[in-house]
Amino acid sequence: MVGSRLVSCGDVRTELERSYVMSCDASLLLETSNGIISEKTAKRNFGMRNFKYVDVIKEALERECPMTVSCADIIALSARDGVSLLGGPSIDGMKTGRRDSKESYSSVIDDFIPNHNDTMTLVLAQFQNVGIDAEGTVALLGAHSVGRVHCVNIVNRLYPDTDPTLDPDYATYLKGRCPNPQPDQKEVEYARNDRETPMVIDNMYYKNLLSHKGLLLIDQQLTSDTSTYPFVEKMASDNGYFHDAISKALLLLSENNPLTGDEGEIRRDCRYINQE
């Protein structure tokens, strides 16, 4: 979600980022072609992968009901279902009818999507811009409960000096996963977001934060900001409360400024705008 996180389009992180940049309009899926520069090339989108699964879904839908279901709806509904399949809440009431962007926003990606090293004040302000309050921000960052992070986004907390907010044993583990202060972006060098329940969206993320085992700087900052810390404590102690909060926040993001009516288009192929 923040910086480079989960797996790819059918996940929470993609839904968050597409809702941040203009709207949830599947602009991320566009490849570089015909004057379009793909958003996949942006630094903030480093590590995103497995877009092929969106293509598989789209191909199946086009066979059954051509030009009916947008790529934007595929992303939103995949995020909803992905949360449930990973042990998170079942999210009811997600609307459909979004349309797909005809352009890429690669030039402004870094201005909209929070970075893993940003201050909590900045991150809260960016979420607020799309209608998400402090409680919702803390809940959405709980998507970091699953997946893994490339060492490129971790080493700033390890070298040349270890971040003093890191639990010493956890810091030793991270250095074992990321022994090179300058990791190769092309190599598979990573650490899991959550070592206890790595493929479950649950409140272990918040328990780890209270134990000083936040993987990214932005994660750990949730415990040092007075406006977010109370929510961390509550979510750490109540998984049901966390699930309710992330459900509400995801629904809000999924409805952020969608393209509807005659705006945009429904792409035949999620990777390219339609050629008339």
Side-chain angles (χ1 to χ4, degrees):
M1 183 181 57
V2 177
S4 299
R5 302 299 299 210
L6 308 178
V7 276
S8 72
C9 291
D11 63 27
V12 180
R13 173 179 175 251
T14 303
E15 167 65 7
L16 294 178
E17 299 198 354
R18 296 286 43 79
S19 296
Y20 258 107
V21 186
M22 306 306 175
S23 72
C24 182
D25 59 10
S27 58
L28 170 68
L29 303 180
L30 290 171
E31 298 286 357
T32 297
S33 67
N34 297 321
I36 287 176
I37 304 299
S38 177
E39 293 177 19
K40 298 173 189 177
T41 62
K43 290 182 179 179
R44 290 287 197 277
N45 288 331
F46 168 72
M48 298 189 74
R49 58 196 183 281
N50 290 340
F51 297 100
K52 60 186 178 183
Y53 296 117
V54 176
D55 298 332
V56 170
I57 294 170
K58 181 60 172 174
E59 288 170 4
L61 287 168
E62 286 300 304
R63 287 195 297 269
E64 296 297 324
C65 44
M67 302 296 290
T68 303
V69 181
S70 69
C71 304
D73 274 351
I74 291 173
I75 290 177
L77 296 176
S78 294
R80 178 199 66 183
D81 294 347
V83 167
S84 179
L85 289 169
L86 287 168
S90 296
I91 301 174
D92 298 322
M94 184 169 285
K95 298 176 182 178
T96 55
R98 302 168 190 79
R99 289 169 66 84
D100 301 323
S101 172
K102 293 182 178 181
E103 58 184 314
S104 162
Y105 307 110
S106 59
S107 62
V108 296
I109 286 285
D110 291 350
D111 296 330
F112 283 83
I113 298 177
N115 193 21
H116 60 92
N117 292 328
D118 284 341
T119 65
M120 184 52 61
T121 299
L122 177 58
V123 171
L124 286 170
Q126 289 177 310
F127 273 98
Q128 185 63 52
N129 287 338
V130 292
I132 305 298
D133 60 13
E135 179 187 40
T137 299
V138 176
L140 289 172
L141 284 172
H144 293 181
S145 173
V146 296
R148 60 190 186 180
V149 176
H150 197 284
C151 290
V152 166
N153 293 323
I154 302 173
V155 292
N156 65 298
R157 301 189 70 197
L158 304 174
Y159 308 104
D161 300 310
T162 303
D163 184 337
T165 65
L166 275 172
D167 172 82
D169 291 338
Y170 187 55
T172 298
Y173 158 74
L174 291 179
K175 287 182 178 180
R177 297 296 306 174
C178 305
N180 185 353
Q182 295 182 316
D184 186 343
Q185 294 188 9
K186 297 180 180 179
E187 295 295 325
V188 183
E189 301 178 3
Y190 66 89
R192 292 203 173 277
N193 299 341
D194 174 2
R195 298 169 66 192
E196 305 297 325
T197 55
M199 293 305 293
V200 181
I201 293 181
D202 60 10
N203 65 341
M204 183 58 68
Y205 168 75
Y206 303 101
K207 295 177 182 179
N208 286 335
L209 295 185
L210 294 176
S211 298
H212 299 280
K213 296 179 181 179
L215 185 56
L216 296 178
L217 180 61
I218 193 60
D219 295 324
Q220 198 59 57
Q221 285 187 100
L222 287 174
T223 63
S224 59
D225 189 284
T226 56
S227 64
T228 56
Y229 181 68
F231 296 116
V232 172
E233 282 196 308
K234 190 172 181 179
M235 291 181 195
S237 64
D238 189 339
N239 194 55
Y241 167 63
F242 161 54
H243 280 182
D244 288 344
I246 195 173
S247 295
K248 294 174 185 176
L250 276 172
L251 282 176
L252 281 173
L253 275 184
S254 73
E255 297 173 13
N256 176 46
N257 195 32
L259 299 179
T260 58
D262 294 330
E263 299 175 300
E265 64 181 8
I266 295 179
R267 294 184 208 138
R268 296 183 182 88
D269 184 327
C270 290
R271 298 170 297 174
Y272 307 101
I273 61 173
N274 297 333
Q275 300 298 315
E276 302 299 336

